Amino acid sequence: DTGVSQDPRHKITKRGQNVTFRCDPISEHNRLYWYRQTLGQGPEFLTYFQNEAQLEKSRLLSDRFSAERPKGSFSTLEIQRTEQGDSAMYLCASSLSLGAGLTDTQYFGPGTRLTVL
Amino acid sequence: AQSVTQPDIHITVSEGASLELRCNYSYGATPYLFWYVQSPGQGLQLLLKYFSGDTLVQGIKGFEAEFKRSQSSFNLRKPSVHWSDAAEYFCAVVFMDSNYQLIWGAGTKLIIKP
């Protein structure tokens, strides 16, 4: 178990550029989550996948954001036409679903810090 | 809307002193409760969780937390803090009627005085 990994750890970009982040979950985990965290706040849910299916998206997730998990393993989060307000830490978490009606424990990666200039 | 409140933005304690971090949640169906710790430059690490059973749960690094349903609280405690405990602590709750989504508090930053 190597834990959840994220790449890159830091990204600086200019406003209007597109960026893509990658998350590799714990290998046997079937759920994968994306969160955004700004300074002094807890994480805000963005979206989650069960295997390759994207099951839920937050209202916070504008149409400039898209996430994929094509083979049910790693996931990518893309932000198009970045804005300064997108500057934040983007966190990925994974979990092993215990079945319908049961919650599971999420394990987090180190995050990708995005700075939009 | 369901919410999680951590009333203390910052807490300062002396090394070796006891610690209690507060967490309250709004009324909802049976909650699942978590405490995570985040050190600078690190990801969120799970300290402990409560799903059911004994309301006093033990976690890693000498932390414990007690679920009090009557007070809608899940406070985190440690009898004697170490300088390495300096970090930000987040309480998170899953309400069974909220699509099993984690709802997070804003965090409490723990500062340790030597």
Side-chain angles (χ1 to χ4, degrees):
Chain A
D1 177 1
T2 58
V4 180
S5 61
Q6 293 186 245
D7 184 69
R9 295 290 303 275
H10 304 272
K11 179 71 178 177
I12 300 174
T13 191
K14 292 182 179 178
R15 190 177 50 185
Q17 298 294 305
N18 300 343
V19 295
T20 300
F21 310 141
R22 177 181 170 122
C23 171
D24 287 89
I26 294 170
S27 58
E28 66 270 23
H29 284 185
N30 53 0
R31 284 188 179 169
L32 187 148
Y33 305 77
W34 284 101
Y35 292 86
R36 179 171 63 193
Q37 186 180 23
T38 53
L39 204 60
Q41 299 296 319
E44 296 173 296
F45 170 80
L46 294 178
T47 188
Y48 95 93
F49 294 82
Q50 175 127 345
N51 301 312
E52 65 275 9
Q54 188 173 18
L55 294 189
E56 191 165 343
K57 291 169 63 173
S58 165
R59 290 188 299 274
L60 294 173
L61 209 64
S62 78
D63 56 7
R64 296 185 298 105
F65 287 69
S66 62
E68 294 182 342
R69 193 183 184 199
K71 297 181 181 177
S73 57
F74 73 91
S75 174
T76 57
L77 177 69
E78 181 183 17
I79 309 174
Q80 296 182 323
R81 305 181 302 281
T82 53
E83 302 172 357
Q84 287 185 323
D86 297 331
S87 295
M89 177 78 86
Y90 290 84
L91 298 169
C92 176
S94 71
S95 70
L96 179 63
S97 169
L98 301 175
L102 297 171
T103 196
D104 42 59
T105 300
Q106 297 178 30
Y107 296 88
F108 284 80
T112 295
R113 181 167 295 284
L114 173 66
T115 302
V116 182
L117 301 175
Chain B
Q2 290 158 336
S3 63
V4 178
T5 302
Q6 293 180 248
D8 304 304
I9 298 172
H10 300 100
I11 279 190
T12 302
V13 300
S14 298
E15 191 170 14
S18 64
L19 170 71
E20 182 168 28
L21 302 181
R22 295 182 290 164
C23 173
N24 294 92
Y25 59 91
S26 61
Y27 175 78
T30 305
Y32 297 130
L33 302 149
F34 303 81
W35 275 99
Y36 284 84
V37 61
Q38 188 174 37
S39 299
Q42 303 294 316
L44 287 152
Q45 183 182 20
L46 179 69
L47 284 175
L48 47 77
K49 62 188 177 186
Y50 172 78
F51 284 5
S52 64
D54 191 345
T55 56
L56 183 64
V57 293
Q58 303 298 318
I60 62 170
K61 305 186 180 187
F63 285 92
E64 67 177 27
E66 186 171 12
F67 170 51
K68 293 185 177 179
R69 185 184 299 276
S70 62
Q71 297 178 19
S72 298
S73 70
F74 189 55
N75 293 349
L76 181 72
R77 301 193 293 248
K78 186 169 184 176
S80 174
V81 297
H82 185 262
W83 65 267
S84 61
D85 293 325
E88 189 143 25
Y89 291 79
F90 292 93
C91 178
V93 180
V94 170
F95 294 100
M96 290 198 47
D97 57 355
S98 71
N99 210 18
Y100 300 97
Q101 234 183 73
L102 268 174
I103 299 172
W104 294 81
T108 297
K109 187 172 183 178
L110 175 62
I111 300 163
I112 307 294
K113 286 193 301 187

